[in-house]
């Protein structure tokens, strides 16, 4: 399998690269030219296409002949960066490629997710400050995912809970909607978020799904597993 990672130089991207390489996949990636040096430890094992992740010419070259594309949707700035990245992948990836996108719990596909007031307040404040200083635009990520949801491609949008560093705890568990009791712990190791992304490449049950994930070792996940086996 040949896999392209859009945003490979970030922490999540590097974890995905290592998981993919461990499975014997050929790995190519896209990152900004100034970030290529972050990948020095992997430079002999991967191919990097330097450039902005919303640059269609760069994306076209990078995704050529790929069986899967893993995309980190980052809403940098206020110029539609995430939306343009998602659209480029949807338009230019090979017809049969599996397309896996990452985002946060705040993304909803059908409006049935149930959010705490704390998360709603955090998003409102973060969104206002981000737009005020022209740093990030949460609505851009929302629009990017809307376009993915409306696509007939073989996509999966992985919605992550609060991320933390640490050793792997295993493949996260998931639910269709935020608010499901299994997700209550609201924590996932970043390395395991990456593991779920890579695993989704070969999990047909996740095609055109937007799984919300949580660590399999979290208190809520363990409680759910115990109840299911009782």
């Amino acid at each position: 399998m040949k896999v392209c990672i859009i945003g490979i130089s970030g922490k999540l991207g590097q974890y995905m690269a290592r998981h993919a390489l461990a499975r014997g996949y050929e790995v190519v990636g896209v990152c900004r030219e100034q970030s290529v040096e972050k990948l020095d430890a992997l430079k002999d094992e991967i191919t990097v296409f330097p450039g902005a992740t919303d640059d269609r010419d760069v994306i076209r070259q990078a995704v050529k002949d790929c069986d899967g594309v893993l995309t980190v949707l980052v809403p940098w700035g206020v110029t539609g960066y995430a939306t343009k990245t998602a659209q480029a992948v949807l338009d230019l990836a090979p017809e049969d490629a599996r397309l896996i996108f990452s985002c946060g719990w705040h993304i909803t596909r059908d409006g049935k997710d149930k959010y705490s007031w704390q998360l709603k307040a955090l998003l409102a404040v973060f969104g206002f400050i981000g737009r005020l200083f022209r740093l990030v635009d949460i609505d851009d990520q929302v629009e990017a995912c809307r376009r993915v949801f409306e696509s007939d491609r073989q996509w999966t949008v992985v919605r992550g809970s609060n991320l933390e560093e640490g050793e792997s705890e295993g493949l996260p568990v998931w639910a269709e909607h935020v608010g499901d009791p299994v997700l209550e712990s609201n924590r996932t190791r970043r390395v395991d978020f990456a593991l779920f992304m890579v695993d989704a490449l070969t999990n047909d049950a996740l095609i055109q799904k937007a799984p919300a994930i949580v660590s399999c070792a979290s208190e809520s996940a363990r409680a759910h597993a115990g109840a299911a086996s009782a």
Side-chain angles (χ1 to χ4, degrees), residues 54 56 73-75 79-90 137 139-148:
D54 63 346
R56 292 178 68 87
L73 288 177
V74 180
T79 60
Y81 194 76
T83 298
K84 288 185 286 187
T85 297
Q87 193 64 59
V89 172
L90 292 170
D137 182 3
D139 290 341
D140 176 31
Q141 197 175 69
V142 173
E143 173 62 18
C145 290
R146 184 191 68 79
R147 296 190 185 194
V148 174

Side-chain angles (χ1 to χ4, degrees), residues 1-225:
M1 179 177 283
K2 182 179 181 181
V3 176
C4 180
I5 301 174
I6 311 297
I8 194 172
S9 64
K11 289 182 179 180
L12 182 60
Q14 291 187 51
Y15 281 134
M16 288 192 290
R18 294 183 185 280
H19 286 311
L21 289 168
R23 296 185 180 207
Y25 298 164
E26 178 184 354
V27 176
V28 302
V30 176
C31 70
R32 296 179 301 168
E33 188 169 359
Q34 58 267 42
S35 298
V36 172
E37 63 182 19
K38 295 179 181 179
L39 299 165
D40 281 351
L42 298 171
K43 64 182 180 182
D44 294 331
E45 301 177 84
I46 64 176
T47 301
V48 179
F49 292 83
T53 66
D54 63 346
D55 186 320
R56 292 178 68 87
D57 290 334
V58 174
I59 297 297
R60 181 181 288 105
Q61 296 178 61
V63 301
K64 183 179 180 182
D65 300 325
C66 285
D67 303 292
V69 182
L70 301 162
T71 304
V72 181
L73 288 177
V74 180
W76 293 127
V78 291
T79 60
Y81 194 76
T83 298
K84 288 185 286 187
T85 297
Q87 193 64 59
V89 172
L90 292 170
D91 291 344
L92 302 172
E95 183 177 352
D96 295 330
R98 284 286 279 117
L99 310 179
I100 318 298
F101 300 86
S102 73
C103 66
W105 269 4
H106 63 287
I107 298 296
T108 183
R109 182 184 181 189
D110 56 15
K112 295 181 180 179
D113 297 277
K114 298 178 180 179
Y115 300 108
S116 67
W117 68 265
Q118 294 98 327
L119 179 58
K120 291 179 180 178
L122 179 63
L123 285 172
V125 172
F126 181 74
F128 173 76
I129 293 175
R131 287 191 300 272
L132 179 65
F133 291 97
R134 302 181 68 81
L135 298 174
V136 296
D137 182 3
I138 297 299
D139 290 341
D140 176 31
Q141 197 175 69
V142 173
E143 173 62 18
C145 290
R146 184 191 68 79
R147 296 190 185 194
V148 174
F149 294 151
E150 292 184 350
S151 168
D152 60 2
R153 301 296 303 265
Q154 297 184 76
W155 55 262
T156 301
V157 174
V158 184
R159 301 182 292 153
S161 53
N162 288 342
L163 298 181
E164 60 185 26
E165 294 299 333
E167 295 294 321
S168 173
E169 295 179 324
L171 187 69
V173 298
W174 65 280
E176 295 250 12
H177 296 103
V178 176
D180 189 300
V182 73
L183 302 173
E184 186 176 356
S185 294
N186 187 18
R187 72 167 187 85
T188 307
R189 296 281 168 88
R190 186 173 275 102
V191 65
D192 294 330
F193 188 112
L195 178 63
F196 194 96
M197 294 277 289
V198 173
D199 189 75
L201 289 167
T202 54
N203 187 346
D204 289 349
L206 293 177
I207 292 177
Q208 296 195 350
K209 296 283 188 180
I213 66 173
V214 73
S215 170
C216 65
S218 66
E219 184 177 351
S220 60
R222 287 188 283 107
H224 178 78

